Amino acid sequence: MRPKIICHMVTSIDGKLHPSRFTGPAAGVDAARLRKHYDEVSPKLGAQGWMCGRVTMQEISKGKARTVTSPGVSSREPFVGDRRDRDLAVAIDPHGKVHYRQDHLHGDHAVAVLSEAVSDAYLAELREDGVSYLFAGPDGRDLAKAMDALGETFGVETLLLEGGAAINGAFLKTGLIDEISVLIHPAVDGLAGVQTIFEYQGGPDECPGAGQALRHFHTETLEGGMVWLRYRVEEAPGS
């Protein structure tokens, strides 16, 4: 059974994702205090790990490609490294572009979600690094299969989906988000074309959230004017 998935994000009031672009805090509001809220709220959601897309994970890992010494891995079966009861740091990385050089990110055990088309050498590299991996089908787009595998392989019950916009949109489109948790930063961005929480790349007639509805169940105003909102994602009436 797949884990419960909570999309947990911090945004400006216009839904943008890049804090470096946000307007500054009002007089008397501590910017450092505002930045701490996300990390303080996250543990309250009871997750056993977090997920993000390839671009975000590359920025975190800062690893570089290298030549592996062990033989390539031809099997396309999941590989489980030495987790040691750590939380999971899951990269949705269909093409195998993230390099780790270690088995953890911020102290959480690294897990790569890949397509079956990645190279044998890349799988050998992950094994050398101690990084666990599993597959999301031939092209890496079967997110439902991957989430089922995560639940069955690692026994996790809840995972945080922490963006970026494209991977959030993909999970929304496939109906895999169970809850949305958003911290609204007291700031605006204002520029058109800047990433928002969900950005599914589809045709003009597509509705990524079709058949889904949001039920509000929590609002909390935090120090400095940041607002924490939580919504359960339900099947829309009549869908």
Side-chain angles (χ1 to χ4, degrees), residues 44-109:
K44 298 180 182 180
L45 297 172
Q48 294 84 51
W50 50 278
M51 296 185 290
C52 62
R54 187 266 304 171
V55 174
T56 302
M57 194 60 86
Q58 276 185 314
E59 293 174 354
I60 296 170
S61 71
K62 297 181 171 58
K64 296 181 179 180
R66 60 182 175 82
T67 301
V68 297
T69 57
S70 56
V73 178
S74 59
S75 168
R76 291 303 181 264
E77 296 298 321
F79 169 75
V80 180
D82 185 9
R83 179 185 177 187
R84 301 198 302 275
D85 295 323
R86 291 173 290 182
D87 284 349
L88 303 183
V90 181
I92 309 298
D93 182 24
H95 304 295
K97 293 185 176 181
V98 180
H99 300 280
Y100 300 87
R101 289 190 171 271
Q102 58 189 5
D103 74 344
H104 64 90
L105 295 154
H106 299 325
D108 299 323
H109 180 59

Side-chain angles (χ1 to χ4, degrees), residues 12 19-31 34-35 185-189 224:
S12 60
S20 63
R21 297 185 45 81
F22 293 177
T23 52
V29 176
D30 184 359
L34 292 173
R35 289 193 295 270
H185 197 290
V188 295
D189 181 315

